[in-house]
Amino acid sequence: MIIQILSLFPEMFYGPFQNSILKRAQELKLVEFRLINFRDFTLDKHRMVDDIPYGGGSGMVLKPEPIYRGLQFAKETKPEAKVVLLTPQGQTFKQQTAEQLAAAEHIILICGHYEGFDERIRSWADLELSIGDYVLTGGELAAMAISDAVVRLIPGVLGSDESAQKDSFAGNLLDYPQYTRPAEFEGLCVPEVLLSGHHARIEAWRREQAILRTALRRPDLLAGAALTEREKQFLRQELDLKI
Ligand code: 6GU
């Protein structure tokens, strides 16, 4: 997969992309990141990427031409690449969006910066994404979060394919609680069932815990989780006890 990123601050990406899993994914040639500074696509001697807003008002607005030319350059290798614009006004990025993007061969992420960008830039994007209801100074951190979430879904990137499937959100359920040694620490004990070696019981306990935790912390997700009648019954029982 090729991920091209148009940004005025390509150096911001070096830390996240040159460590840990994303670094390994590149070494394994499972992903290639190409950072494009759209300031390189300005034609004036001041290399201006923004300008004052028509109609007045405070702040600067990103000009359309450098982004247009940067985008043309990015698309040269693959004209049908999916173009994603990062903006707080976009649809919220979810695990499902990550899964859809991970299936693409080539994506282009455009990071806005400053107060905003010329509205015409929107017309060149296939998709507008936000990573949540808060405002960042630019799309770069969003592009990093999205790249990370997408790349870890590419087959072969994670140690075992199972790790991605059992994630929080993968089945619209949060992760079950995990423990490692020691069995007791500071008076806090690992649940007995996990020490039992009884695999079927452990699986059942984990599923119950994931369901319960989702119901308590993220009830909004539960509607999208496929629960059996027995699991719904279990949940009603537990919630009666808890509330
Ligand atoms: Cl994609 N950009 C900016 N500037 N702020 C955000 C965002 C994106 N997603 C959440 N907040």
Side-chain angles (χ1 to χ4, degrees):
M1 173 177 215
I2 296 175
I3 301 180
Q4 287 186 300
I5 301 174
L6 270 72
S7 161
L8 291 173
F9 302 96
E11 295 85 359
M12 283 179 73
F13 293 84
Y14 295 173
F17 287 2
Q18 284 170 12
N19 283 285
S20 188
I21 310 275
L22 295 187
K23 176 185 178 182
R24 209 187 56 205
Q26 292 169 88
E27 287 167 355
L28 293 171
K29 306 256 182 267
L30 296 171
V31 68
E32 183 185 333
F33 291 109
R34 296 186 193 157
L35 287 153
I36 298 166
N37 189 338
F38 56 84
R39 194 180 293 280
D40 294 340
F41 293 86
T42 51
L43 298 177
D44 63 306
K45 77 169 187 230
H46 299 294
R47 302 188 6 117
M48 253 180 50
V49 290
D50 55 1
D51 206 341
I52 53 172
Y54 270 121
S58 64
M60 297 292 270
V61 175
L62 283 175
K63 292 162 63 62
E65 308 96 307
I67 291 187
Y68 183 77
R69 281 196 286 272
L71 196 54
Q72 295 297 104
F73 172 79
K75 279 185 148 186
E76 259 165 35
T77 32
K78 204 148 197 285
E80 68 272 27
K82 206 168 191 61
V83 179
V84 181
L85 186 64
L86 300 164
T87 153
Q89 296 100 39
Q91 69 180 68
T92 309
F93 179 72
K94 301 251 167 77
Q95 190 62 25
Q96 200 188 357
T97 330
E99 284 161 14
Q100 285 160 3
L101 292 178
E105 266 176 69
H106 188 168
I107 58 177
I108 299 172
L109 306 178
I110 305 176
C111 306
H113 221 92
Y114 309 124
E115 264 66 34
F117 42 77
D118 188 286
E119 190 66 16
R120 288 166 288 191
I121 292 167
R122 286 187 203 276
S123 61
W124 310 320
D126 299 305
L127 185 65
E128 292 184 28
L129 292 177
S130 154
I131 59 165
D133 293 338
Y134 41 83
V135 180
L136 301 168
T137 54
E140 284 77 10
L141 289 167
M144 291 177 211
I146 290 169
S147 297
D148 187 284
V150 167
V151 170
R152 64 187 289 289
L153 295 177
I154 299 172
V157 168
L158 292 184
S160 75
D161 284 351
E162 202 190 29
S163 329
Q165 274 160 27
K166 284 204 180 159
D167 284 340
S168 276
F169 304 115
N172 273 306
L173 288 178
L174 300 182
D175 266 350
Y176 52 76
Q178 300 252 45
Y179 294 88
T180 184
R181 288 177 287 190
E184 190 197 328
F185 183 70
E186 292 280 310
L188 299 171
C189 292
V190 174
E192 207 61 50
V193 60
L194 297 179
L195 310 174
S196 70
H198 196 298
H199 292 298
R201 279 221 295 269
I202 291 171
E203 279 311 303
W205 180 84
R206 285 178 167 167
R207 171 98 184 150
E208 278 177 11
Q209 291 296 311
I211 292 169
L212 193 53
R213 183 172 265 195
T214 308
L216 294 172
R217 297 184 183 203
R218 291 294 306 276
D220 58 303
L221 291 178
L222 220 50
L227 300 192
T228 64
E229 275 313 310
R230 267 188 73 182
E231 286 168 343
K232 288 179 191 166
Q233 174 74 28
F234 157 80
L235 198 52
R236 277 192 292 272
Q237 240 171 32
E238 287 290 317
L239 293 180
D240 274 353
L241 292 176
K242 299 237 175 216
I243 295 167

